[in-house]
Amino acid sequence: MRQHTGWTLADYHRETVVPLALEEGVRAAIAASDAQVAPGPRRLLRLLALHPLDRTDTALAVALAGECEQAVRSHLDALCAAHLLTEPGPGRFRMPALVRAYAGERVGIDVPATSIRQALRRVRAHTGTAVPARALAA
């Protein structure tokens, strides 16, 4: 990236930029924020990375987490307070690309495969569609 100082982030292919950015200390910064949230919000962050879109709503987060809406809303609020999610509108959430990449790396490490499969089943039941298999490679 230093060789192309005139380029914007949009000029780079996403699969190139994200790993580079995570290697340049961003991963450590995200990990520090992640370490400050409780286990419930931390687990939800990882499960949100399974969804193929960077945007979600409370209902989908409830389906992923398999918890009551009040608990999930508390988790979402904690993730927003830690700057790991943003809330562009009431009940609507966005995960920045680098946070998403970090959470995608962590989901297979921190969440048992059986829990991931259960979360994906709940999303399928909620939306009527399956989460693409590529979501697991994120």
Side-chain angles (χ1 to χ4, degrees):
M1 293 175 82
R2 288 183 187 107
Q3 296 172 356
H4 305 287
T5 56
W7 291 18
T8 68
L9 282 178
D11 292 325
Y12 291 91
H13 192 265
R14 184 187 185 291
E15 282 72 27
T16 302
V17 172
V18 170
L20 287 174
L22 287 176
E23 290 305 320
E24 290 295 321
V26 175
R27 181 182 285 112
I30 294 170
S33 293
D34 182 54
Q36 298 206 0
V37 297
R42 191 175 306 125
R43 178 179 174 274
L44 178 59
L45 182 72
R46 282 138 179 77
L47 293 175
L48 287 170
L50 296 173
H51 193 264
L53 302 177
D54 66 349
R55 298 176 197 292
T56 190
D57 60 24
T58 304
L60 182 65
V62 167
L64 276 167
E67 298 180 45
C68 73
E69 184 174 344
Q70 183 178 357
V72 171
R73 183 59 212 213
S74 176
H75 297 338
L76 291 165
D77 289 343
L79 292 169
C80 287
H83 305 288
L84 295 166
L85 294 180
T86 60
E87 188 174 10
R92 308 211 44 88
F93 300 89
R94 184 180 168 280
M95 185 184 301
L98 296 176
V99 173
R100 181 180 183 71
Y102 170 83
E105 289 177 351
R106 298 301 312 177
V107 70
I109 297 167
D110 299 331
V111 180
T114 53
S115 295
I116 292 171
R117 285 191 294 276
Q118 291 167 348
L120 295 175
R121 276 191 218 108
R122 288 190 300 268
V123 169
R124 179 180 296 138
H126 172 73
T127 64
T129 60
V131 174
R134 65 183 167 83
L136 292 173

